[in-house]
Amino acid sequence: MTNRTIKNLVILLIVFLSKFNAMAQEETEPFLDDFIGSASVTQNGISLVPSFSLGDPALLFDLKFTKGKLSFEPDMRFALEGKPWTFIFWLRYKAIEKERFSLRLGAHPALIFGTVNIVRDGQPEELLESRRYLAAEVAPNYKISDKVGLGVYYLYGHGFDEGVKNTHYMALNSSFSNLYISEKLYFNISPQAYYLVSDDSKGFYIVGFVSLIKKDFPISISAILNKAIDTEILPEDDFTWNISLVYSFGGANRRTSKRKI
C-alpha cells in the first residue's frame, strides 16, 4: 500500500463521514447525536503512550461521532511530509454516567507504520510497513467539582506482528479545567503519573497536558511534557515534549480541547 493510496483513503474517510453527518443533521431526527473533531500540527508527534514520540513534526486528526452512549473515534497521525504514522479506530462506550462518577470502556484496532530499507533488483528501496495491534481500555473518573476531576486509566495492547507483543499502561490522572486567565482566555491542565510495561521492560513516568483556549475561538494551543522517572524501556528518552496548534470544529462543545485518557 503506497503513501498516496493511504492518504487518499484517509481523505475519502474524513469527507464521507463529514458528509454523512451533515446529511443526517438535515433530518428531523439526526442519526448522530454529536460530531466533533480537531486537526493539530506539532513540532514533535507524541504517541497515545506519551513516552513514545515520532521525533519529527506531525499532523494529527481526531474525530468523534456520538450516538447515545456509543462513540466512534478515528485517531489518525501523519509525519508532516505525509507519511502515515498511526491509525487508531476507537469504539467507546459510556457504561456509567452519574453526576460525579463515570466509567468509560473502549477498544480499538490500530495500525502503526514504519519505513524499512530493502534491496530490490540490486537497488536500495524504502518500503512502508504496517504493524497490527488490538487494544482495550477501562477509564473510571470521579468529578470532585465542576473544575476538578480524578481518575485512573488502564490500557492493554497486543501486537500481532514483529515487535512488542504485550503492553500494559496504567495511569493515575487528574484534571483542572476552565481555569480562567481573563473573561475570554482560560486553560486546562491534566497532570498524570503512569506505569508502563512493554513485554519484559517497565518504566515509571510523569506527564502533564496543558491547553490554552480562547472562548468561542476554534484555534487553541496545547503542550505535552513527559518525564521519565525510572525506566528500562527503549528508546529511553529522559524528557519528551511538544507544542501543538489545534483547530477544533463541529458540535456544541467543540472548545473542550479533549484528551482521551
Side-chain angles (χ1 to χ4, degrees):
M1 186 177 289
T2 65
N3 288 349
R4 183 179 296 275
T5 302
I6 293 171
K7 287 163 65 178
N8 288 339
L9 287 173
V10 171
I11 292 170
L12 285 173
L13 174 65
I14 293 173
V15 170
F16 172 76
L17 292 174
S18 300
K19 291 290 186 182
F20 180 79
N21 180 65
M23 291 173 62
Q25 288 180 341
E26 292 177 0
E27 303 294 331
T28 306
E29 295 183 2
F31 174 73
L32 294 175
D33 294 332
D34 198 13
F35 164 67
I36 60 174
S38 67
S40 310
V41 61
T42 177
Q43 101 289 352
N44 179 25
I46 289 182
S47 176
L48 178 67
V49 177
S51 57
F52 300 118
S53 68
L54 182 63
D56 289 307
L59 185 62
L60 292 71
F61 295 96
D62 287 290
L63 303 174
K64 182 176 181 179
F65 302 84
T66 303
K67 179 66 175 179
K69 292 187 174 184
L70 280 172
S71 63
F72 173 59
E73 304 181 26
D75 180 341
M76 294 165 287
R77 307 178 183 212
F78 301 83
L80 211 54
E81 69 269 20
K83 287 184 179 180
W85 174 25
T86 59
F87 291 171
I88 301 174
F89 299 99
W90 281 107
L91 185 64
R92 286 183 160 121
Y93 177 68
K94 293 180 180 179
I96 301 175
E97 217 174 351
K98 303 292 186 181
E99 182 179 359
R100 294 293 182 186
F101 179 76
S102 64
L103 174 64
R104 187 186 75 216
L105 305 175
H108 73 70
L111 292 174
I112 298 180
F113 298 90
T115 301
V116 294
N117 296 312
I118 65 170
V119 177
R120 180 178 295 176
D121 298 329
Q123 298 295 322
E125 184 178 334
E126 286 189 347
L127 184 68
L128 191 65
E129 178 187 64
S130 64
R131 295 180 180 179
R132 300 163 299 163
Y133 290 84
L134 188 64
E137 67 174 5
V138 179
N141 187 77
Y142 182 76
K143 195 174 182 181
I144 297 173
S145 69
D146 290 340
K147 294 186 176 183
V148 181
L150 291 174
V152 294
Y153 181 81
Y154 173 69
L155 173 75
Y156 170 71
H158 178 73
F160 293 94
D161 302 301
E162 183 182 353
V164 176
K165 297 298 184 183
N166 296 289
T167 300
H168 300 269
Y169 176 80
M170 295 151 280
L172 177 64
N173 57 69
S174 58
S175 62
F176 303 88
S177 57
N178 297 323
L179 304 176
Y180 279 83
I181 300 172
S182 66
E183 185 178 345
K184 291 285 187 179
L185 198 64
Y186 65 95
F187 60 96
N188 298 334
I189 300 176
S190 179
Q192 300 182 11
Y194 66 93
Y195 183 68
L196 179 63
V197 179
S198 181
D199 284 341
D200 295 326
S201 301
K202 56 185 181 294
F204 179 68
Y205 306 80
I206 55 173
V207 61
F209 304 94
V210 183
S211 297
L212 180 64
I213 302 165
K214 184 178 180 181
K215 188 177 180 181
D216 299 323
F217 189 67
I219 297 174
S220 60
I221 298 172
S222 67
I224 301 174
L225 308 169
N226 186 81
K227 172 68 175 174
I229 304 301
D230 183 19
T231 183
E232 305 167 348
I233 299 171
L234 298 176
E236 192 175 345
D237 290 332
D238 183 65
F239 182 69
T240 305
W241 67 278
N242 75 2
I243 296 178
S244 302
L245 189 65
V246 183
Y247 174 73
S248 300
F249 52 89
N253 301 316
R254 66 182 183 181
R255 301 305 312 123
T256 53
S257 197
K258 60 191 175 81
R259 173 68 186 178
K260 297 174 182 175
I261 294 179

